[in-house]
Amino acid sequence: MRRGRETAKFGHWPPLVVDERRVFVRLAFDSHVMMLTKEHLLYLPDEDRLGVQVGPRRAFEALIRDGRLAAYQAFAPHYEAAVSGPVDASARLLALANSFQPTIVLWSHPSNFPVKSELVARLRSLGSSPTIVLQDMDAWGIVRKRLTPSTRLLAKEADLVYLSGTGSLARVFRRAGAARVRYAFDGADGERFGKPWLPTEHREYDVVTIANRIPGRFPGSAMPGVRLRARLVDLLERQYGPRFALYGDGWAGHPSWKGPLAFDYQGEVNRSAWVSATWDHFPAIASYTSNRVPISLASGVPHVTNYRPGFELIYPPGSGLYWGKTVRSVAEMVAVVLAMPRKDLLVIGEHAACFARDHRSQEALMERLLEDVSAFRSATARGEG
């Protein structure tokens, strides 16, 4: 197999496919073999303000500039529906699709936008015979956070479905009728995170945690993992005292709490410490991480979190991610990382930033996702799909 661009240390780590019959993952494709020069992409981002999805838009614009994608248009259904109503937004979406004739329609997180079967059917009937793709990075469940009607409909109607986890998350979409479920890692966009900096050997904190504590409105409604997250914060607070900084909502009264934090400032806060750590929500979903993991790594800071099956493949040795299977073991792993010489931590941070930029950015995710869709289209055209 022809080798593409890769880093010497990490090799190449493309997205994964979730087998529809068994819960496991396999490599989906070699990212730089498939070319997109014949594809026309219609991107439907989850945006209430135009341009919020920085990483994907940057990725598609770069592919156009490099001549690797034939054509690209974006239409934000949520934003357009807020402007003129969902009926008019759907009509204008169809008008754009008819004039543009996409070969790929990528719908990201439809949520509560009223997607109708007729709309999907008319998109599918375009002369360009587009592949309909659903990408949804939320942690949906069967009991808690159930699929919206629009997400359920698109899960059934889409040719390909990309999710941020495997196992129970994939099963939710298969139960909704999804025929082909694939894994797509979460990422950090390169515009807001991972900007060049000069790492310092003197930092204000040893450990920083950026996380929200959101108790449920009634018993049993809290976010999965929130209690274990609070226990980890208590452990780190006792262990590191003023050398531990805590950011996010819901922590009032904690001596280490520095207040809420705007999303765009996570990188700056991560760089104030030697290591970032948290207990991620939804610990039962295999291969799942929030975007705090790639954001921390892109910041050039090692990150410690709770283990998920699949981490060994998604975040290989040298990526800068460390984990534990219990709250105590996560806290102990933080201590292990901090015991390393500062010069070693600087090297780990540099490698983490490199890995995140090349392999776990939103730009890398979208480029590889499109290449996977293009490979699927080629296989389908040959009767292999």
Side-chain angles (χ1 to χ4, degrees), residues 133-212:
V133 180
L134 169 63
Q135 181 219 0
D136 201 305
M137 308 303 282
D138 275 16
W140 299 97
I142 295 174
V143 177
R144 189 194 178 282
K145 192 176 172 61
R146 297 181 180 182
L147 296 178
T148 66
S150 293
T151 304
R152 181 175 296 276
L153 185 147
L154 272 175
K156 182 179 180 180
E157 297 288 343
D159 298 296
L160 297 168
V161 176
Y162 291 86
L163 307 175
S164 60
T166 61
S168 61
L169 181 58
R171 287 194 292 273
V172 168
F173 280 79
R174 287 200 298 272
R175 287 187 179 188
R180 303 175 188 87
V181 180
R182 304 197 175 194
Y183 176 76
F185 54 83
D186 213 336
D189 72 76
E191 182 169 314
R192 291 177 292 184
F193 306 106
K195 293 181 179 179
W197 71 309
L198 184 62
T200 174
E201 294 189 18
H202 302 283
R203 302 192 185 177
E204 188 174 0
Y205 305 109
D206 288 327
V207 191
V208 63
T209 290
I210 303 172
N212 296 320

Coordinates of all heavy atoms in Angstrom, one line a residue, residues 133-212:
V133 N -24.8 12.0 4.2 CA -23.9 11.7 5.4 C -24.4 12.4 6.6 O -24.6 13.6 6.6 CB -22.4 12.0 5.1 CG1 -21.6 11.7 6.3 CG2 -21.9 11.3 3.8
L134 N -24.5 11.7 7.7 CA -24.9 12.3 9.0 C -23.6 12.2 9.9 O -23.0 11.1 10.1 CB -26.0 11.6 9.7 CG -26.3 12.0 11.2 CD1 -26.7 13.4 11.3 CD2 -27.3 11.1 11.8
Q135 N -23.2 13.4 10.4 CA -22.1 13.4 11.4 C -22.7 14.0 12.7 O -23.2 15.1 12.7 CB -20.9 14.2 10.9 CG -19.8 14.3 11.9 CD -19.1 15.6 12.0 OE1 -19.5 16.6 11.3 NE2 -18.1 15.7 12.9
D136 N -22.6 13.3 13.8 CA -23.1 13.8 15.1 C -22.2 13.4 16.2 O -21.9 12.2 16.4 CB -24.5 13.2 15.3 CG -25.3 14.0 16.3 OD1 -24.8 14.3 17.4 OD2 -26.4 14.5 16.0
M137 N -21.6 14.4 16.9 CA -20.6 14.1 17.9 C -21.1 14.1 19.3 O -20.4 14.0 20.3 CB -19.5 15.2 17.8 CG -18.9 15.3 16.4 SD -18.2 13.8 15.7 CE -16.6 13.7 16.6
D138 N -22.5 14.2 19.5 CA -23.1 14.2 20.8 C -23.1 12.7 21.3 O -23.2 11.8 20.6 CB -24.5 14.8 20.8 CG -24.4 16.3 20.9 OD1 -23.3 16.9 20.7 OD2 -25.5 16.9 21.2
A139 N -23.2 12.6 22.7 CA -23.3 11.4 23.4 C -24.8 11.0 23.6 O -25.3 11.2 24.7 CB -22.5 11.4 24.7
W140 N -25.5 10.5 22.6 CA -26.9 10.1 22.7 C -27.0 8.8 23.5 O -26.1 8.0 23.5 CB -27.5 10.0 21.3 CG -27.4 11.2 20.5 CD1 -26.5 11.6 19.5 CD2 -28.3 12.4 20.5 NE1 -26.7 12.8 19.0 CE2 -27.9 13.3 19.6 CE3 -29.4 12.7 21.2 CZ2 -28.5 14.5 19.3 CZ3 -30.1 13.9 21.0 CH2 -29.6 14.8 20.1
G141 N -28.2 8.7 24.0 CA -28.5 7.4 24.8 C -29.9 6.9 24.5 O -30.7 7.5 23.7
I142 N -30.2 5.8 25.1 CA -31.5 5.2 24.9 C -32.5 5.7 25.9 O -33.7 5.9 25.6 CB -31.4 3.6 25.1 CG1 -30.6 3.1 23.9 CG2 -32.8 3.0 25.1 CD1 -30.3 1.6 24.1
V143 N -32.1 6.0 27.2 CA -32.9 6.5 28.2 C -32.7 8.0 28.4 O -33.6 8.8 28.3 CB -32.7 5.8 29.5 CG1 -33.6 6.4 30.6 CG2 -33.0 4.3 29.4
R144 N -31.4 8.4 28.6 CA -31.1 9.8 28.8 C -30.6 10.4 27.4 O -29.9 9.7 26.7 CB -30.0 10.0 29.8 CG -29.8 11.4 30.2 CD -28.5 11.6 31.0 NE -28.3 13.0 31.3 CZ -27.8 13.9 30.4 NH1 -27.5 13.5 29.2 NH2 -27.7 15.1 30.8
K145 N -31.0 11.6 27.1 CA -30.6 12.3 25.9 C -31.0 11.4 24.7 O -30.1 11.0 23.9 CB -29.1 12.6 25.9 CG -28.7 13.6 24.8 CD -27.3 14.0 24.9 CE -26.8 14.8 23.7 NZ -27.5 16.1 23.5
R146 N -32.2 11.2 24.5 CA -32.7 10.4 23.4 C -32.6 11.2 22.1 O -32.6 12.4 22.0 CB -34.2 10.0 23.6 CG -34.4 9.2 24.8 CD -35.9 8.8 25.0 NE -36.1 8.0 26.1 CZ -37.3 7.5 26.5 NH1 -38.3 7.7 25.7 NH2 -37.4 6.7 27.5
L147 N -32.5 10.4 21.0 CA -32.4 11.1 19.7 C -33.6 11.9 19.4 O -34.7 11.6 19.7 CB -32.3 10.0 18.6 CG -31.1 9.0 18.6 CD1 -31.2 8.0 17.5 CD2 -29.8 9.8 18.4
T148 N -33.3 13.1 18.8 CA -34.4 13.9 18.4 C -35.1 13.3 17.1 O -34.4 12.5 16.5 CB -33.9 15.3 18.0 OG1 -33.1 15.2 16.8 CG2 -33.1 16.0 19.1
P149 N -36.3 13.6 16.8 CA -36.9 13.1 15.6 C -36.1 13.3 14.4 O -36.0 12.4 13.5 CB -38.3 13.8 15.6 CG -38.6 14.1 17.0 CD -37.3 14.5 17.6
S150 N -35.5 14.5 14.2 CA -34.7 14.7 13.0 C -33.5 13.9 13.0 O -33.1 13.4 11.9 CB -34.4 16.2 12.9 OG -35.5 17.0 12.8
T151 N -32.8 13.7 14.1 CA -31.6 12.9 14.1 C -31.9 11.4 13.9 O -31.2 10.7 13.1 CB -30.9 13.0 15.5 OG1 -30.6 14.4 15.8 CG2 -29.6 12.3 15.5
R152 N -33.0 11.0 14.4 CA -33.5 9.6 14.2 C -33.8 9.4 12.7 O -33.4 8.4 12.1 CB -34.7 9.3 15.0 CG -35.3 7.9 14.9 CD -36.4 7.7 15.9 NE -35.9 7.8 17.2 CZ -35.4 6.8 17.9 NH1 -35.2 5.6 17.3 NH2 -35.0 6.9 19.2
L153 N -34.5 10.3 12.1 CA -34.8 10.2 10.7 C -33.6 10.1 9.8 O -33.4 9.3 8.9 CB -35.7 11.3 10.2 CG -36.3 11.3 8.8 CD1 -37.7 11.9 8.7 CD2 -35.4 12.0 7.8
L154 N -32.6 11.1 10.1 CA -31.4 11.1 9.3 C -30.6 9.9 9.5 O -29.9 9.4 8.6 CB -30.6 12.4 9.5 CG -31.0 13.6 8.7 CD1 -30.3 14.8 9.1 CD2 -30.7 13.3 7.2
A155 N -30.6 9.3 10.7 CA -29.8 8.1 11.0 C -30.3 7.0 10.1 O -29.5 6.2 9.6 CB -30.0 7.7 12.5
K156 N -31.6 6.9 9.9 CA -32.2 5.9 9.1 C -32.0 6.1 7.6 O -31.7 5.2 6.8 CB -33.7 5.8 9.4 CG -34.4 4.7 8.6 CD -35.9 4.6 9.0 CE -36.6 3.5 8.2 NZ -38.0 3.4 8.5
E157 N -32.0 7.4 7.2 CA -32.0 7.7 5.8 C -30.6 7.9 5.2 O -30.4 7.7 4.0 CB -32.8 9.0 5.5 CG -34.3 8.9 5.9 CD -35.0 8.1 4.8 OE1 -34.5 7.8 3.8 OE2 -36.2 7.7 5.2
A158 N -29.6 8.2 6.1 CA -28.3 8.5 5.6 C -27.6 7.3 5.1 O -27.8 6.1 5.6 CB -27.4 9.1 6.7
D159 N -26.7 7.5 4.1 CA -25.9 6.4 3.6 C -24.8 6.0 4.6 O -24.4 4.8 4.7 CB -25.3 6.8 2.3 CG -26.3 7.0 1.2 OD1 -27.0 6.1 0.8 OD2 -26.4 8.2 0.7
L160 N -24.2 7.0 5.3 CA -23.2 6.8 6.2 C -23.5 7.7 7.5 O -23.9 8.8 7.4 CB -21.8 7.2 5.7 CG -21.3 6.4 4.5 CD1 -20.1 7.2 3.8 CD2 -20.9 5.0 4.9
V161 N -23.2 7.1 8.7 CA -23.3 7.9 9.9 C -22.0 7.8 10.7 O -21.4 6.8 10.9 CB -24.4 7.2 10.8 CG1 -24.5 7.9 12.1 CG2 -25.8 7.3 10.1
Y162 N -21.5 9.0 11.0 CA -20.2 9.1 11.8 C -20.5 9.6 13.2 O -21.2 10.7 13.4 CB -19.3 10.1 11.1 CG -18.8 9.6 9.8 CD1 -19.5 9.8 8.6 CD2 -17.5 8.9 9.7 CE1 -19.0 9.3 7.4 CE2 -17.1 8.5 8.5 CZ -17.8 8.7 7.3 OH -17.3 8.2 6.1
L163 N -20.0 8.9 14.2 CA -20.2 9.2 15.6 C -18.9 9.3 16.3 O -17.9 8.8 15.9 CB -21.0 8.1 16.2 CG -22.3 7.7 15.5 CD1 -23.0 6.5 16.2 CD2 -23.3 8.8 15.5
S164 N -19.0 9.9 17.5 CA -17.8 10.2 18.3 C -17.5 9.1 19.3 O -16.7 9.2 20.2 CB -17.9 11.5 19.1 OG -19.0 11.5 19.9
G165 N -18.2 8.0 19.2 CA -18.0 6.8 20.2 C -18.5 5.6 19.5 O -19.2 5.6 18.5
T166 N -18.2 4.4 20.1 CA -18.6 3.1 19.6 C -19.5 2.5 20.7 O -20.1 3.1 21.5 CB -17.3 2.3 19.3 OG1 -16.6 2.1 20.5 CG2 -16.4 2.9 18.3
G167 N -19.6 1.2 20.6 CA -20.3 0.5 21.7 C -21.8 0.9 21.8 O -22.6 0.9 20.8
S168 N -22.2 1.4 23.0 CA -23.5 1.7 23.3 C -24.0 2.9 22.4 O -25.2 2.9 22.0 CB -23.7 2.1 24.7 OG -22.9 3.2 25.1
L169 N -23.1 3.8 22.0 CA -23.5 4.9 21.2 C -23.9 4.4 19.8 O -24.9 4.9 19.2 CB -22.4 6.0 21.1 CG -22.7 7.2 20.3 CD1 -24.0 8.0 20.8 CD2 -21.5 8.2 20.3
A170 N -23.1 3.6 19.3 CA -23.3 3.0 17.9 C -24.6 2.2 17.9 O -25.4 2.2 17.0 CB -22.2 2.1 17.5
R171 N -24.9 1.5 19.0 CA -26.2 0.7 19.1 C -27.4 1.6 19.1 O -28.4 1.2 18.5 CB -26.2 -0.1 20.4 CG -25.2 -1.3 20.3 CD -25.5 -2.3 21.4 NE -25.1 -1.8 22.7 CZ -23.9 -1.9 23.3 NH1 -22.9 -2.4 22.6 NH2 -23.7 -1.4 24.5
V172 N -27.3 2.8 19.7 CA -28.4 3.7 19.7 C -28.8 4.1 18.2 O -30.0 4.1 17.8 CB -28.1 5.0 20.4 CG1 -29.1 6.1 20.1 CG2 -28.0 4.8 21.9
F173 N -27.8 4.3 17.4 CA -28.1 4.7 16.0 C -28.5 3.5 15.1 O -29.3 3.6 14.2 CB -26.9 5.4 15.4 CG -26.8 6.8 15.8 CD1 -26.3 7.2 17.1 CD2 -27.2 7.8 14.9 CE1 -26.3 8.6 17.5 CE2 -27.2 9.2 15.3 CZ -26.7 9.5 16.6
R174 N -27.9 2.3 15.5 CA -28.4 1.1 14.7 C -29.8 0.8 15.0 O -30.6 0.4 14.1 CB -27.4 -0.1 15.1 CG -26.1 0.0 14.4 CD -25.4 -1.3 14.3 NE -25.2 -1.9 15.7 CZ -24.1 -1.6 16.4 NH1 -23.2 -0.8 16.0 NH2 -24.0 -2.2 17.6
R175 N -30.2 1.0 16.3 CA -31.6 0.8 16.6 C -32.5 1.8 15.9 O -33.7 1.5 15.6 CB -31.8 1.0 18.1 CG -31.3 -0.2 19.0 CD -31.7 0.0 20.4 NE -31.1 -1.1 21.2 CZ -31.5 -1.3 22.5 NH1 -32.3 -0.5 23.1 NH2 -31.0 -2.3 23.2
A176 N -32.0 2.9 15.6 CA -32.8 3.9 14.8 C -32.8 3.6 13.3 O -33.5 4.3 12.6 CB -32.2 5.3 15.0
G177 N -32.1 2.6 12.9 CA -32.1 2.2 11.5 C -30.9 2.5 10.7 O -30.8 2.3 9.5
A178 N -29.8 3.0 11.4 CA -28.6 3.3 10.6 C -28.0 2.1 10.1 O -27.8 1.1 10.8 CB -27.6 4.0 11.6
A179 N -27.7 2.1 8.8 CA -27.1 0.9 8.1 C -25.6 0.8 8.2 O -25.1 -0.3 8.3 CB -27.5 1.0 6.6
R180 N -24.9 2.0 8.2 CA -23.5 2.0 8.2 C -23.0 3.0 9.2 O -23.1 4.2 9.0 CB -22.9 2.3 6.8 CG -23.3 1.3 5.7 CD -22.8 1.8 4.4 NE -23.4 1.0 3.3 CZ -24.6 1.3 2.7 NH1 -25.2 2.4 3.1 NH2 -25.0 0.5 1.7
V181 N -22.5 2.6 10.4 CA -22.1 3.4 11.4 C -20.6 3.5 11.5 O -19.9 2.4 11.6 CB -22.7 3.0 12.8 CG1 -22.2 3.9 13.9 CG2 -24.2 2.9 12.7
R182 N -20.0 4.7 11.5 CA -18.5 4.8 11.5 C -18.1 5.7 12.6 O -18.8 6.6 13.1 CB -18.0 5.2 10.2 CG -18.5 4.3 9.0 CD -17.7 4.5 7.8 NE -18.1 3.5 6.8 CZ -17.4 3.2 5.7 NH1 -16.3 3.9 5.4 NH2 -17.9 2.3 4.9
Y183 N -16.9 5.5 13.1 CA -16.3 6.3 14.2 C -15.5 7.5 13.6 O -14.8 7.4 12.6 CB -15.3 5.5 15.0 CG -14.6 6.2 16.1 CD1 -15.3 6.6 17.3 CD2 -13.3 6.6 15.9 CE1 -14.7 7.3 18.3 CE2 -12.7 7.3 16.9 CZ -13.4 7.6 18.1 OH -12.7 8.4 19.1
A184 N -15.7 8.7 14.3 CA -15.0 9.9 13.9 C -14.5 10.5 15.2 O -15.4 10.9 16.0 CB -15.9 10.9 13.1
F185 N -13.2 10.6 15.4 CA -12.7 11.2 16.7 C -13.1 12.7 16.7 O -13.3 13.4 15.7 CB -11.2 11.1 16.7 CG -10.5 11.6 15.5 CD1 -10.2 13.0 15.4 CD2 -10.1 10.8 14.4 CE1 -9.6 13.5 14.2 CE2 -9.5 11.3 13.3 CZ -9.2 12.7 13.2
D186 N -13.2 13.2 18.0 CA -13.4 14.6 18.2 C -12.1 15.3 18.0 O -11.0 14.7 18.2 CB -14.0 14.9 19.6 CG -14.9 16.1 19.5 OD1 -14.8 16.9 18.6 OD2 -15.8 16.2 20.4
G187 N -12.1 16.6 17.7 CA -10.9 17.3 17.5 C -10.9 18.8 17.9 O -12.0 19.3 18.2
A188 N -9.8 19.4 17.9 CA -9.6 20.8 18.2 C -9.3 21.6 16.9 O -8.5 21.1 16.1 CB -8.5 21.0 19.2
D189 N -10.0 22.7 16.7 CA -9.7 23.4 15.5 C -8.3 24.2 15.6 O -8.0 24.7 16.7 CB -10.8 24.4 15.1 CG -10.9 25.6 16.0 OD1 -10.1 26.5 15.9 OD2 -11.8 25.6 16.9
G190 N -7.6 24.3 14.5 CA -6.3 24.9 14.5 C -6.3 26.4 14.6 O -5.2 27.0 14.7
E191 N -7.4 27.0 14.4 CA -7.4 28.5 14.4 C -7.4 29.0 15.9 O -6.8 30.0 16.2 CB -8.6 29.0 13.7 CG -8.7 30.6 13.7 CD -9.8 31.1 12.7 OE1 -9.8 30.6 11.6 OE2 -10.5 32.0 13.1
R192 N -8.2 28.4 16.8 CA -8.3 28.8 18.1 C -7.3 28.1 19.1 O -7.0 28.7 20.2 CB -9.7 28.6 18.6 CG -10.7 29.6 17.9 CD -12.1 29.3 18.4 NE -12.7 28.0 18.0 CZ -13.9 27.6 18.2 NH1 -14.7 28.4 18.9 NH2 -14.3 26.4 17.7
F193 N -6.9 26.9 18.7 CA -6.1 26.1 19.6 C -4.8 25.6 19.0 O -4.8 25.3 17.8 CB -6.9 24.9 20.2 CG -8.2 25.3 20.8 CD1 -9.4 25.1 20.1 CD2 -8.2 26.0 22.0 CE1 -10.6 25.5 20.7 CE2 -9.4 26.4 22.6 CZ -10.6 26.1 21.9
G194 N -3.7 25.6 19.8 CA -2.5 25.1 19.2 C -1.6 26.1 18.5 O -0.7 25.8 17.8
K195 N -1.9 27.4 18.8 CA -1.0 28.4 18.2 C 0.4 28.3 18.8 O 0.6 27.9 19.9 CB -1.7 29.8 18.5 CG -3.0 30.0 17.8 CD -3.5 31.4 18.0 CE -4.9 31.6 17.3 NZ -5.4 32.9 17.6
P196 N 1.4 28.8 18.0 CA 2.8 28.7 18.4 C 3.0 29.4 19.7 O 2.4 30.5 20.0 CB 3.5 29.3 17.3 CG 2.7 29.2 16.1 CD 1.3 29.3 16.6
W197 N 3.8 28.9 20.6 CA 4.1 29.5 21.9 C 5.5 29.1 22.3 O 6.1 28.1 21.8 CB 3.1 29.2 22.9 CG 3.1 27.8 23.4 CD1 3.0 26.6 22.7 CD2 3.1 27.4 24.8 NE1 3.0 25.5 23.5 CE2 3.1 25.9 24.8 CE3 3.2 28.0 26.0 CZ2 3.1 25.2 26.0 CZ3 3.1 27.3 27.2 CH2 3.1 25.9 27.2
L198 N 6.1 29.7 23.3 CA 7.4 29.4 23.8 C 7.1 28.8 25.2 O 6.9 29.5 26.2 CB 8.3 30.6 23.9 CG 9.7 30.3 24.4 CD1 10.4 29.4 23.4 CD2 10.5 31.6 24.5
P199 N 7.1 27.4 25.3 CA 6.8 26.8 26.6 C 7.8 27.3 27.7 O 9.0 27.4 27.4 CB 7.0 25.3 26.3 CG 6.8 25.2 24.9 CD 7.3 26.4 24.3
T200 N 7.3 27.5 28.9 CA 8.1 28.0 30.0 C 8.4 26.9 31.0 O 7.5 26.0 31.2 CB 7.5 29.2 30.6 OG1 8.2 29.5 31.8 CG2 6.1 28.9 31.1
E201 N 9.5 26.9 31.7 CA 9.8 26.0 32.7 C 9.2 26.4 34.1 O 9.3 25.7 35.1 CB 11.3 25.7 32.9 CG 11.9 25.1 31.6 CD 13.3 24.6 31.9 OE1 13.7 24.6 33.0 OE2 14.0 24.4 30.9
H202 N 8.6 27.6 34.1 CA 7.9 28.1 35.3 C 6.5 28.3 35.0 O 6.1 29.2 34.2 CB 8.6 29.3 35.8 CG 10.1 29.1 36.1 ND1 10.6 28.5 37.2 CD2 11.2 29.5 35.3 CE1 11.9 28.5 37.1 NE2 12.3 29.1 36.0
R203 N 5.6 27.6 35.7 CA 4.2 27.7 35.5 C 3.4 27.9 36.8 O 3.9 27.5 37.8 CB 3.7 26.4 34.7 CG 4.4 26.2 33.4 CD 3.8 25.2 32.5 NE 4.7 25.0 31.4 CZ 4.4 24.1 30.4 NH1 3.3 23.4 30.5 NH2 5.3 24.0 29.4
E204 N 2.3 28.6 36.6 CA 1.6 29.0 37.8 C 1.0 27.8 38.6 O 0.9 27.9 39.8 CB 0.5 30.0 37.4 CG -0.3 30.6 38.6 CD -1.3 31.7 38.1 OE1 -1.4 31.9 36.9 OE2 -1.9 32.3 39.0
Y205 N 0.6 26.8 37.8 CA 0.0 25.6 38.5 C 0.6 24.3 38.0 O 1.3 24.3 37.0 CB -1.5 25.6 38.1 CG -2.3 26.8 38.4 CD1 -2.7 27.7 37.4 CD2 -2.5 27.2 39.7 CE1 -3.4 28.9 37.6 CE2 -3.2 28.4 40.0 CZ -3.6 29.2 38.9 OH -4.3 30.4 39.2
D206 N 0.5 23.3 38.9 CA 0.9 22.0 38.5 C -0.2 21.3 37.7 O 0.1 20.7 36.7 CB 1.2 21.1 39.7 CG 2.5 21.5 40.4 OD1 3.4 21.9 39.7 OD2 2.5 21.4 41.7
V207 N -1.4 21.5 38.1 CA -2.6 20.8 37.5 C -3.7 21.8 37.2 O -4.0 22.6 38.1 CB -3.1 19.6 38.4 CG1 -4.1 18.8 37.6 CG2 -2.0 18.8 38.9
V208 N -4.4 21.6 36.1 CA -5.6 22.4 35.8 C -6.7 21.5 35.4 O -6.4 20.5 34.6 CB -5.3 23.5 34.8 CG1 -4.9 22.9 33.4 CG2 -6.5 24.4 34.6
T209 N -7.9 21.8 35.9 CA -9.1 21.0 35.4 C -10.1 22.0 34.8 O -10.4 23.0 35.5 CB -9.7 20.3 36.6 OG1 -8.9 19.2 36.9 CG2 -11.1 19.7 36.1
I210 N -10.5 21.8 33.6 CA -11.5 22.6 32.9 C -12.7 21.7 32.8 O -12.7 20.7 32.0 CB -11.1 23.2 31.6 CG1 -9.8 24.0 31.8 CG2 -12.2 24.0 31.0 CD1 -9.2 24.4 30.4
A211 N -13.8 21.9 33.5 CA -14.9 21.0 33.5 C -16.1 21.7 34.2 O -15.9 22.5 35.1 CB -14.6 19.7 34.2
N212 N -17.3 21.3 33.7 CA -18.5 21.8 34.4 C -19.1 20.7 35.3 O -18.9 19.5 35.1 CB -19.5 22.2 33.3 CG -19.1 23.3 32.4 OD1 -18.5 24.3 32.9 ND2 -19.4 23.2 31.2

